Amino acid sequence: MEPRLAPLVVVSGPSGVGKSTVVDAVLVLVPEVWLSVSVTTRPPRVGEIAGQDYYFVADEEFDRLIAQDELLEWAHFAGNRYGTPRGPVLEHRASGTPVILEIEVAGARQVRSRVPEAQLVFLAPPSRPELAARLIGRGTESPEAVAQRLAAADLELAAAPEFDRVIVNTDVGQCAAALVACLHE
Ligand code: 5GP
């Protein structure tokens, strides 16, 4: 019989919706959960730490990871590529540690088809104007990049019904509690 793996919860939703803030709150509530560290071709933002926020890699290295099937999922997003290293996710789950992925919608779809038991959670903004205000207000992107991310957001919002659960981010604590409940299902 296959050994039982610990839960895998995928948190998705448009850029700027507050995925990181909510996931950080979950990690405070349930410190034994492991948040997967993605690989990206995007350059680091000020303050981001390599190996902690992301593994920042060149295009050639990303190509190699795809060719060697080392990514559980990957996607293009706003001009860059992002992916989840497969090995660490499996290792943590096999050793009984629940895993959270914080990824965009195309990647969440791939996880759905490859890991059918994964819980897929969509974090939705209270409204589109609020999402735009948050993306602009956090000041991490150029105006062009904000526009690109908002265009992607429209497509992502339409995908909400594909998810096991939709949580509207009006309150970080409530969202975090709802996510913790998913980890125990
Ligand atoms: P950011 O550039 O703001 O850090 O991330 C842009 C988008 O890519 C966000 O929606 C984020 O959740 C998503 N993302 C981060 N890591 C991954 C990953 O490994 N795979 C996929 N598919 N999306 C990711």
Side-chain angles (χ1 to χ4, degrees), residues 2-168:
E2 291 281 312
R4 204 174 136 77
L5 297 173
L8 176 63
V9 172
V10 177
V11 181
S12 199
S15 174
V17 75
K19 296 189 289 286
S20 304
T21 311
V22 170
V23 168
D24 286 348
V26 171
L27 297 178
V28 171
L29 292 171
V30 193
E32 64 269 25
V33 170
W34 183 69
L35 172 62
S36 165
V37 180
S38 297
V39 179
T40 183
T41 59
R42 161 170 86 58
R45 294 182 184 128
V46 174
E48 281 185 331
I49 299 171
Q52 186 174 314
D53 296 295
Y54 281 107
Y55 297 105
F56 298 99
V57 300
D59 267 320
E60 297 69 27
E61 171 64 1
F62 206 98
D63 290 341
R64 186 193 69 77
L65 292 169
I66 296 170
Q68 301 195 345
D69 199 23
E70 289 187 25
L71 300 178
L72 174 61
E73 60 74 35
W74 70 273
H76 287 279
F77 183 85
N80 291 296
R81 289 184 290 174
Y82 298 78
T84 302
R86 180 196 299 282
V89 172
L90 190 57
E91 284 153 23
H92 280 88
R93 295 186 69 207
S95 68
T97 303
V99 173
I100 294 187
L101 308 185
E102 189 193 312
I103 62 178
E104 52 70 71
V105 165
R109 287 193 180 110
Q110 294 166 43
V111 176
R112 157 129 294 156
S113 66
R114 287 170 199 167
V115 188
E117 74 275 17
Q119 285 280 324
L120 266 61
V121 178
F122 188 90
L123 201 58
S127 67
R128 193 182 181 281
E130 184 124 344
L131 181 69
R134 285 189 200 184
L135 257 181
I136 295 164
R138 78 181 187 186
T140 51
E141 260 72 38
S142 65
E144 296 74 30
V146 168
Q148 212 175 8
R149 282 166 186 251
L150 278 174
D154 289 331
L155 289 175
E156 296 199 287
L157 289 170
E162 297 172 33
F163 283 71
D164 297 311
R165 190 157 308 182
V166 178
I167 303 174
V168 179

